Amino acid sequence: MTVPIRLDACAKHYGATRVLEPLDLDITAGETVVLLGPSGCGKTTTLRLIAGLEVPDPGGRVRFGPRDVTDLPIERRNVGMVFQSYALFPNMSVAQNIGYGLKIRGVATAERRRRVGDMLDMMRIAELQDRAIGQLSGGQRQRVALARAIAVKPDVLLLDEPLTALDAKLRESLRVEIDSLLRGLGITTVYVTHDQAEAMALGDRIVVMSKGRIAQIGSPRDIWFAPADRFVAEFIGTTSPLPGEIAGGILTVAGATLPWAAGDGPVDVVVRPDAATLVGDGAGPGRLTATVRAAQFLGDRTRLAVTVAGDHLLTIDIGARETPAPGTTVTLALHPAALIVLARR
Amino acid sequence: MRNRTLGFWLQLALTLAVSAFLGVPILQSMLAGVTRNIFTGVWKSGLTLDWVGQVLTLYWPAILLSIEIALGCLVATLLVGVPAAYGLARAPGRLARLAEEALVLPVAVPGLALALAMVIAYNGWGGFRQSAWFILAGHVLFTLPFMVRAVLAVMASSDLATLEEGAASLGAGFFRRFFDVVLPNCRSGILAGALTVVTLSIGEFNLTWLLHTPLTKTLPVGLADAYASLRLEIGSAYTLVFFVLIVPLLVALQLLVRPRTAKPLSQDPS
Amino acid sequence: MTSPRGRMIAGLMILPAALVFLAFFVLPLVRLVIAGGEGPDGWAGYGVALADARHLTSLAETLALSIAVTLATLVLGGIPGLFLARNRFPGRALLVSILTLPLAFPGVVIGFMVILLAGRQGLIGQVSQLLGGDRIVFAYSMAGLFLGYVYFSIPRVVLTVMASAEKLDPQLEEAARSLGARPWRVFRDVVLPGLKPALISAGAITFATSMGAFGTAFTLATRIDVLPMVIYTEFTLGVNLAAAAGLSLLLGAVTWAALALARSAAGAGVAAAG
């Protein structure tokens, strides 16, 4: 039976360092929440608090539904955990690894074998049943680790950067698989990653963290289109914030002017690579001149590094067949709908 | 997890008991060496350096010889072992494996058997057989694998190979590379090997007992004599002298080889 | 450095060591083997020596002693070694120092300490007499030898187990706990298998050292008939070269085999630690 998770005022310090400021988090049953942030932001610490591998500082409480599990160590919380290094037991075969949690719970041998078989089929690794761990590839180990965590029918599923150790192509294909797996299982899941593409693909909600605090919680679209502050805006997607000013309903940034209804005063304008297009010379709303510094052909588009108005660097994606030479001057048109404007503090 | 479980205390108790088992006899024998009268105990009879004084007068040649042999052993193993370690580190796989197996043999065969073999082999070489050089040869044979192993461990690391390639790319020939790059970077291995060799040589008995003559007694051989004489005070004082010589070396070795602290189970934050 | 010049240099550097090895190991061993066959019975002398009842008893006793010492040391050294590798508390460094200090003590010194502890004037004897019973003296028997052998074997085991414990992957234990395993289960299913190579290696070295130890038995007087003592007395008192040589080779073969086992177990351990 899957449960909601609730963290109340959970903080953590090691020695004299505070790695997690008191945080509150509410996760609904069956939801997949992604903890996203750079290294050192506290996301793994938070995961370990939920898991029961760490105890929060006095005053913090962790609840699984109505149960207060704060004082329970991990072995009594009935969670399923996938570790960054997979942590598969080298002295056991694949089947024995997957069945280990069931063995601990005293499940009868016949039933255990059946469940392990189901897991092997679900992960499509039935042929690896008696293989030794050392003979498995990275992707195979991943599947075994997942199977082992799910086999015990946990209340909560916890994944600590499970795809970080794999190469890019494998990561992408496994991401899709994990996504459909999580949707099919419906277990409350907490997933830690520093890869924002992964977070956007897998999360029902994303918790962006920085320096031990929550910067923003929201759906992937919320985070992408409406970042709460400059940190979130810069962490998600490739962005180039430019200083600008709103006065009398007009937004001025890098030499371009646009009508802008809300807001007033100095702002940071977050420009994503898809927020501008190359246009012919000529005036118009949202147009600015830029000097091309470098043009990278990426297959499906050309990525330009340009400087605008006083040496601000901007990254803009344009059509794959357009090839402006470095050193030339071009005109860009900003799309008002794609701009993110944050009040400068 | 800050609360100590019952298991922690039980393990601590066992560890303390075993430590006492190892440590108390050392203290006891050191104390016995400076006690005026062992049979009445130190409180009743007081401390004295008489026994130590007697030991030094009786056994000074043996102690000196042990120190000389240890230093000679050190020089020999440095001159022979360090290049050998380098050769093994750079040698092609098969030869290196064979050599490493061979390297273990003198340590695997018990000292007594080795000494026996040496005595039989060099029986006809009168002068050599009777001299301290014979003992030195045995010590070098026994300690050489330890020096080679200590230095090889450092040399075989890929870091060193890369450093050498860097030096070679800058034009350094073999000898320049060896003395400017290889040796300085193996300092820790050489030092560990050196301490091990000296410690082993000073304390070596199994080999030396068969190799020695009445004129070439070493410190441990003297110790066996003292114990056999059944004079506890002399034996204890002599043991004390031995400890004074060897414990600083062992402590230095400990500090060098393992500056580690315990790693608690919970990981660092990330 | 696999160029011909590189190979030559490597060879030259190994040469002095190889010469030492040849002159003081290979040559003597060959002479030993030959000398053993030069006795009154010729080569059959070996067979006679190895079939002698006294020698076989000695071999059996030495084997039994060495196995007992190995088992006792693995427990008495392994548990503290694991404990010290995993826990931090004031005084820990001191305990580690004490436990690993006797690493290079010669057998004679340990024999002496056994006499101080359990000899005729020994501490244990005095305590037992004070408690009203007989003066307990066991230094000059197998029990005393056992005590001494355990004494000098513990440091090696502690060091090996500590080094191995530090290399264990903590995530494996966390994974086992995440699947519900309590501390004893985690120890049995994850930690112990992880330490197995180190335990085998340390155990084999302890066994080999106990088999070949001479100084301790020598100090504790001649009533004890472990194999090295038998070899010694055959050579010095019995002047029976064939016996001494044959038994030496046998002893050497047994200890070498034990150490080969130790090395292969330690090599396999690289994979098992995760």
Side-chain angles (χ1 to χ4, degrees):
Chain A
M1 201 45 253
T2 196
V3 294
I5 302 176
R6 187 181 168 77
L7 294 177
D8 280 315
C10 286
K12 186 72 188 167
H13 71 281
Y14 289 109
T17 332
R18 179 94 113 166
V19 293
L20 204 60
E21 301 294 329
L23 65 76
D24 301 321
L25 190 57
D26 256 308
I27 304 177
T28 53
E31 183 180 24
T32 298
V33 161
V34 177
L35 304 179
L36 174 68
S39 12
C41 69
K43 56 193 192 295
T44 301
T45 310
T46 309
L47 187 78
R48 289 170 70 88
L49 284 178
I50 299 176
L53 288 168
E54 309 278 359
V55 184
D57 289 345
R61 315 265 5 128
V62 180
R63 275 178 251 272
F64 287 2
R67 252 191 346 150
D68 185 330
V69 298
T70 317
D71 298 319
L72 286 183
I74 184 175
E75 46 262 38
R76 303 232 281 264
R77 289 197 189 187
N78 195 30
V79 299
M81 188 152 175
V82 177
F83 293 79
Q84 191 169 346
S85 66
Y86 311 130
L88 299 177
F89 307 126
N91 49 310
M92 303 182 204
S93 69
V94 166
Q96 286 168 332
N97 262 276
I98 298 177
Y100 186 70
L102 299 171
K103 195 156 104 156
I104 300 281
R105 285 158 173 74
V107 173
T109 314
E111 167 71 10
R112 197 166 75 217
R113 225 175 296 172
R114 195 185 58 76
R115 290 255 280 270
V116 170
D118 287 344
M119 287 291 119
L120 290 166
D121 290 332
M122 188 199 290
M123 293 292 161
R124 293 177 289 116
I125 45 172
E127 73 277 8
L128 299 178
Q129 181 168 323
D130 296 313
R131 213 61 87 75
I133 301 300
Q135 298 173 313
L136 301 176
S137 71
Q140 289 169 332
R141 281 180 216 223
Q142 230 273 19
R143 285 177 222 257
V144 175
L146 271 168
R148 184 177 71 179
I150 300 171
V152 299
K153 298 209 175 67
D155 296 330
V156 168
L157 193 58
L158 305 165
L159 301 111
D160 186 3
E161 307 211 44
L163 299 181
T164 302
L166 304 171
D167 64 72
K169 273 215 113 182
L170 200 50
R171 233 185 295 165
E172 277 204 41
S173 63
L174 275 177
R175 197 193 301 163
V176 174
E177 280 195 47
I178 291 185
D179 182 34
S180 51
L181 181 71
L182 294 179
R183 282 183 206 301
L185 290 173
I187 307 180
T188 313
T189 304
V190 182
Y191 189 109
V192 163
T193 182
H194 62 266
D195 183 327
Q196 40 112 351
E198 219 167 275
M200 309 272 263
L202 294 171
D204 292 327
R205 277 193 302 157
I206 302 180
V207 177
V208 184
M209 295 182 72
S210 162
K211 301 203 179 77
R213 273 175 229 274
I214 297 182
Q216 184 173 1
I217 308 182
S219 72
R221 280 173 201 276
D222 289 341
I223 307 275
W224 180 266
F225 291 119
D229 61 19
R230 195 170 156 149
F231 167 77
V232 179
E234 283 186 298
F235 191 75
I236 309 284
T238 315
T239 65
S240 327
L242 297 172
E245 181 96 28
I246 304 181
I250 306 281
L251 164 66
T252 320
V253 57
T257 51
L258 295 157
W260 204 263
D264 212 0
V267 290
D268 284 318
V269 180
V270 178
V271 182
R272 293 227 164 89
D274 60 342
T277 39
L278 214 55
V279 293
D281 291 319
R287 285 177 194 229
L288 50 86
T289 40
T291 317
V292 178
R293 289 278 169 248
Q296 265 184 313
F297 174 59
L298 292 180
D300 54 348
R301 60 210 140 109
T302 303
R303 178 153 285 189
L304 292 182
V306 303
T307 46
V308 299
D311 294 330
H312 289 283
L313 272 173
L314 208 58
T315 305
I316 296 293
D317 285 345
I318 58 176
R321 293 179 198 282
E322 301 179 85
T323 51
T328 57
T329 312
V330 294
T331 309
L332 299 172
L334 298 173
H335 299 296
L339 295 178
I340 297 162
V341 177
L342 302 165
R344 194 158 356 132
R345 259 168 275 175
Chain B
M1 306 278 187
R2 237 56 187 110
N3 358 325
R4 308 291 199 186
T5 63
L6 177 65
F8 174 85
W9 293 110
L10 285 176
Q11 288 178 61
L12 180 63
L14 180 66
T15 305
L16 285 173
V18 175
S19 303
F21 169 57
L22 291 186
V24 167
I26 299 178
L27 291 173
Q28 202 188 357
S29 47
M30 293 203 321
L31 190 61
V34 290
T35 305
R36 201 177 297 278
N37 187 333
I38 288 190
F39 304 104
T40 58
V42 67
W43 298 115
K44 295 219 190 92
S45 58
L47 295 172
T48 172
L49 282 177
D50 282 352
W51 309 121
V52 178
Q54 281 191 32
V55 162
L56 288 177
T57 18
L58 278 173
Y59 294 105
W60 178 239
I63 298 172
L64 190 61
L65 186 62
S66 270
I67 295 178
E68 288 172 346
I69 290 184
L71 289 176
C73 202
L74 177 62
V75 170
T77 51
L78 279 175
L79 290 176
V80 174
V82 175
Y86 182 75
L88 285 176
R90 300 281 170 262
R94 241 179 351 137
L95 178 62
R97 298 287 301 283
L98 198 67
E100 278 185 54
E101 290 295 322
L103 206 57
V104 181
L105 281 175
V107 181
V109 179
L112 183 68
L114 270 182
L116 193 62
M118 278 180 69
V119 164
I120 292 175
Y122 290 94
N123 209 7
W125 297 42
F128 177 53
R129 161 75 185 92
Q130 311 290 355
S131 71
W133 293 101
F134 196 49
I135 301 181
L136 179 65
H139 281 213
V140 169
L141 178 71
F142 176 63
T143 57
L144 193 59
F146 291 92
M147 173 64 87
V148 173
R149 215 183 303 156
V151 178
L152 186 58
V154 179
M155 278 187 174
S157 74
S158 56
D159 279 357
L160 197 62
T162 319
L163 284 178
E164 267 196 274
E165 287 177 354
S169 75
L170 292 164
F174 171 73
F175 284 104
R176 283 313 308 252
R177 288 204 308 270
F178 190 73
F179 287 102
D180 289 342
V181 174
V182 175
L183 283 186
N185 280 290
C186 289
R187 259 205 308 256
S188 66
I190 294 179
L191 194 53
L195 284 172
T196 309
V197 165
V198 171
T199 313
L200 286 174
S201 173
I202 292 184
E204 213 295 317
F205 178 78
N206 291 0
L207 262 177
T208 320
W209 182 254
L210 273 188
L211 296 181
H212 88 279
T213 71
L215 291 173
T216 56
K217 289 195 184 184
T218 63
L219 192 157
V221 168
L223 272 174
D225 272 351
Y227 298 153
S229 73
L230 293 180
R231 294 194 57 200
L232 272 184
E233 312 90 351
I234 299 290
S236 310
Y238 202 165
T239 311
L240 178 61
V241 171
F242 173 70
F243 281 147
V244 165
L245 260 183
I246 211 170
V247 167
L249 291 172
L250 288 174
V251 170
L253 192 55
Q254 276 184 356
L255 290 175
L256 178 70
V257 170
R258 298 181 321 99
R260 269 180 224 140
T261 50
K263 196 166 63 171
L265 260 195
S266 35
Q267 290 287 62
D268 286 315
S270 86
Chain C
M1 234 222 241
T2 47
S3 62
R5 182 160 181 270
R7 272 203 289 265
M8 190 186 76
I9 290 186
L12 275 178
M13 304 214 84
I14 301 182
L15 193 61
L19 286 175
V20 167
F21 184 70
L22 218 66
F24 298 112
F25 183 75
V26 177
L27 187 69
L29 271 187
V30 169
R31 277 295 285 125
L32 183 71
V33 172
I34 295 176
E38 281 171 352
D41 298 319
W43 291 102
Y46 274 115
V48 170
L50 291 174
D52 185 319
R54 197 168 73 95
H55 297 161
L56 288 175
T57 320
S58 166
L59 177 65
E61 280 183 9
T62 317
L63 279 172
L65 176 69
S66 301
I67 292 174
V69 168
T70 305
L71 292 174
T73 317
L74 283 178
V75 171
L76 290 177
I79 298 180
L82 186 60
F83 173 72
L84 288 170
R86 297 224 147 163
N87 292 282
R88 251 179 169 153
F89 52 88
R92 177 191 165 271
L94 179 66
L95 287 180
V96 173
S97 277
I98 297 176
L99 283 175
T100 52
L101 198 68
L103 194 57
F105 282 8
V108 281
V109 173
I110 293 174
F112 180 63
M113 295 200 292
V114 172
I115 292 178
L116 278 186
L117 197 65
R120 282 184 204 98
Q121 314 292 345
L123 193 63
I124 290 185
Q126 290 180 355
V127 167
S128 68
Q129 204 172 41
L130 274 172
L131 292 177
D134 285 331
R135 185 176 274 246
I136 299 181
V137 173
F138 60 89
Y140 308 101
S141 68
M142 275 297 193
L145 204 59
F146 175 78
L147 206 65
Y149 283 12
V150 169
Y151 187 97
F152 67 59
S153 304
I154 285 181
R156 166 71 44 206
V157 172
V158 170
L159 269 178
T160 312
V161 169
M162 278 187 72
S164 179
E166 277 159 20
K167 294 206 189 84
L168 290 179
D169 182 0
Q171 287 203 343
L172 284 180
E173 293 167 60
E174 290 180 347
R177 289 175 63 203
S178 78
L179 293 162
R182 302 297 163 85
W184 167 246
R185 241 17 253 252
V186 175
F187 178 75
R188 202 190 74 171
D189 294 333
V190 177
V191 176
L192 214 50
L195 287 176
K196 203 165 67 149
L199 290 173
I200 293 179
S201 167
I205 293 178
T206 304
F207 178 79
T209 316
S210 300
M211 286 293 291
F214 174 66
T216 317
F218 185 75
T219 309
L220 292 177
T222 52
R223 254 200 301 139
I224 309 170
D225 274 340
V226 287
L227 203 54
M229 283 299 288
V230 169
I231 294 175
Y232 179 69
T233 48
E234 289 286 16
F235 180 61
T236 52
L237 300 181
V239 202
N240 187 343
L241 203 51
L247 291 173
S248 294
L249 291 168
L250 176 65
L251 188 58
V254 170
T255 53
W256 179 86
L259 288 179
L261 172 67
R263 277 198 319 283
S264 70
V270 174

